[in-house]
Amino acid sequence: QLVQSETEVKNPGASVKVSCKTSGYIFSAYYLHWVRQAPGQGLQWVGRINPDNGGTNLAQKFQGRVTMTRDTSISTAYMELSSLTSDDTAVYYCVRDPQGPRDYWGQGTLVTVSS
Amino acid sequence: QSVLTQPPSASGTPGQRVTMSCSGSSSSIGSNSVNWYQQRPGTAPKLVIYSNDQRPSGVPDRFSGSKSGTSASLAISGLQSEDEADYYCGAWDDSLNGSYVFGTGTKVTVL
């Protein structure tokens, strides 16, 4: 099970940190990915983290603005996005095994950027 | 940005077969397997096909996938009203620093 943090409303230029608390499996054994979806738009891959060693792969678009971390003691992953603009308004999902054979998605966290 | 191209819409009546395409490149679909996701309004996506043509447990066998060269297809046979949703393809792209990319999405309407 993946449970994400609640809705966030941020001002332009601020940062947001979204959490993804996992349970029911060995946290360090599976990469966790982050995917976002702007209102009425398609899916966009943000990046992934290896919970075992903290290594990350980020989409080019987000390099320099996204930081992915994890806390193995509480089986939780985090995604922090800085220098927010209105274009970052979206639902952010964490997901385990998006490539199968079985995917597990968080419920999504709505991040709204507005002044 | 999406580097996998899908038709924006597809439709059919109940019981019909609907297909949709996903066009990529040699560094994406040409080199990696394709996955397909179903997303109903207001819900998280759900994997319906992985590794080009494999169905996750619990996905009806009405869903089938295929891949050829730099393109892939998803077919839904015996279309049902519950199949009305957005469908996205996804694949790794070796040219983008090891990024995963999604398609532009196809909205399936059951008439």
Side-chain angles (χ1 to χ4, degrees), chain A residues 37 45 63 98-101 103 105, chain B residues 37 39 45 47 56 92 97 100:
Chain A
Q37 186 170 36
W45 188 76
Q63 289 176 8
Q99 310 103 296
D103 58 336
W105 294 73
Chain B
Y37 307 86
Q39 187 179 32
L47 187 69
W92 288 100
N97 198 32
Y100 193 81

Side-chain angles (χ1 to χ4, degrees), chain B residues 28-53:
Chain B
S28 58
I29 295 177
S31 301
N32 298 285
S33 60
V34 179
N35 309 300
W36 290 91
Y37 307 86
Q38 175 194 67
Q39 187 179 32
R40 297 188 176 108
T43 69
K46 168 191 165 187
L47 187 69
V48 293
I49 293 288
Y50 69 96
S51 295
N52 304 323
D53 57 7

Side-chain angles (χ1 to χ4, degrees), chain B residues 29-104:
Chain B
I29 295 177
S31 301
N32 298 285
S33 60
V34 179
N35 309 300
W36 290 91
Y37 307 86
Q38 175 194 67
Q39 187 179 32
R40 297 188 176 108
T43 69
K46 168 191 165 187
L47 187 69
V48 293
I49 293 288
Y50 69 96
S51 295
N52 304 323
D53 57 7
Q54 301 298 300
R55 276 188 312 278
S57 175
V59 173
D61 58 8
R62 302 184 289 104
F63 290 86
S64 61
S66 63
K67 180 184 119 171
S68 178
T70 59
S71 293
S73 293
L74 174 70
I76 310 173
S77 59
L79 194 65
Q80 298 184 5
S81 58
E82 67 203 49
D83 300 331
E84 185 160 293
D86 293 322
Y87 292 84
Y88 297 91
C89 56
W92 288 100
D93 191 312
D94 297 341
S95 73
L96 296 178
N97 198 32
S99 289
Y100 193 81
V101 290
F102 288 99
T104 49

Side-chain angles (χ1 to χ4, degrees), chain B residues 6-10 19-21 36 85-88 103-108:
Chain B
Q6 300 180 240
S9 63
T19 63
M20 65 201 79
S21 60
W36 290 91
D86 293 322
Y87 292 84
Y88 297 91
T104 49
T106 297
K107 166 106 181 121
V108 169

Side-chain angles (χ1 to χ4, degrees), chain A residues 93-104:
Chain A
Y93 294 101
C94 60
V95 50
R96 195 200 100 177
D97 291 336
Q99 310 103 296
R102 168 78 194 273
D103 58 336
Y104 300 85

